[in-house]
Amino acid sequence: MHASLLSPGMMYKHLAGIPVAVMAAGTRVSFFGEPTCQAVEEDDNNGNVEKTTFTFCTNDELPSSENVVWAVQQASGQWWLIGCRERPRPVMKVTSTTGTTNGDPAVKTVEISHQARKSLIPVAL
């Protein structure tokens, strides 16, 4: 979904203990295999920084806007937001592969990375 559709200050609301909800509609992206999402918290000289990496394989057309945030649903039904309205923005890296002779399909491997004080925000959709 486009970042401009989100309310301002979502990361700070979450850090303050205020529940965060998203009312914007996004575009669903289908995937192959099992996507992975990992958030690692590190201590930086100015405080804690969280680095999130979300990886999946798809053949769908992906949004090309630089202001895209990602809503991810885990198996239990919990939704997470990668990125928010304010900078820094998530970075998308796409690697295209051709199929192999043993039947593996041609896919795009997508890696979304984001680094912020809180980069993986639990949300209600």
Side-chain angles (χ1 to χ4, degrees), residues 1-7 21-27 69 71 124-125:
M1 72 185 68
H2 198 271
S4 65
L5 299 174
L6 300 175
S7 60
V22 174
M23 301 301 180
T27 303
V69 296
L125 284 181

Side-chain angles (χ1 to χ4, degrees), residues 8-22:
M10 294 180 94
M11 176 182 66
Y12 297 109
K13 289 176 184 174
H14 170 69
L15 290 171
I18 300 169
V20 178
V22 174

Side-chain angles (χ1 to χ4, degrees), residues 6 28 34 51 54 65 80 85 95 103 114:
L6 300 175
R28 288 197 177 265
E34 294 183 22
K51 295 179 183 180
F54 174 50
S65 169
W80 300 86
R85 186 176 184 152
T95 306
H114 185 245

Side-chain angles (χ1 to χ4, degrees), residues 31 40 64 73 81 85 90 94-95 104 114 121 125:
F31 59 87
V40 177
S64 59
Q73 185 180 30
L81 195 65
R85 186 176 184 152
V94 180
T95 306
D104 289 340
H114 185 245
I121 302 169
L125 284 181

